[in-house]
């Protein structure tokens, strides 16, 4: 076992990879928690502006409200219209993103694609220019 930990594979590749993954996960968790509490502060501030009670139902002083919202979002059942093709309905947003990526590869127009005006406005900005 000592030979493995002294090998070039462990010291040169595997151990730095483990450290990078751990640091990335730690940074992600810290950022997600910070954003959750920033959202809570935003809700409380707007509740005070509107002279109403803020989110104070979940946990002490409402500190778990953002996490309850996340749980609600994750467990929410997607609504698919009965007449729609399920595959096309679920994959249409991905197709739009692929179209945008094809149109703008490193800042230059690669392929000219015709996309509807509302989608162009939503994906490209207020002027509708992709």
């Amino acid at each position: 076992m000592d030979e493995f930990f002294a090998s070039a594979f462990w010291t040169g590749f595997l151990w730095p990879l483990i450290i990078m993954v751990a640091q990335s996960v730690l940074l992600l968790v810290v950022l997600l928690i910070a954003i959750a509490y920033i959202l809570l502060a935003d809700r409380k501030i707007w509740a005070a502006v509107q002279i109403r009670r803020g989110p104070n139902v979940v946990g002490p002083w409402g500190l778990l409200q953002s996490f309850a919202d996340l749980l609600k979002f994750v467990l929410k059942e997607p609504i698919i219209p009965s007449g729609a093709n399920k595959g096309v309905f679920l994959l249409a947003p991905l197709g739009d993103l692929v179209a945008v990526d094809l149109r703008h590869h490193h800042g230059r127009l690669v392929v000219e694609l015709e996309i509807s005006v509302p989608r162009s406005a939503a994906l490209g900005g207020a002027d509708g220019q992709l």
Side-chain angles (χ1 to χ4, degrees), residues 9 31 38 55 64 68 128:
F9 176 72
L31 287 175
I38 289 170
L64 301 176

Side-chain angles (χ1 to χ4, degrees), residues 84-130:
N85 181 330
K86 185 176 182 179
V88 172
F89 185 81
L90 294 174
L91 293 177
L94 180 64
D96 286 341
L97 292 176
V98 168
V100 169
D101 187 46
L102 282 176
R103 288 190 63 170
H104 292 283
H105 186 66
H106 298 292
R108 53 195 167 107
L109 187 64
V110 177
V111 177
E112 182 61 40
L113 297 172
E114 293 298 325
I115 304 177
S116 66
V117 174
R119 285 187 179 169
S120 297
L123 295 173
D127 59 354
Q129 297 297 315
L130 287 176

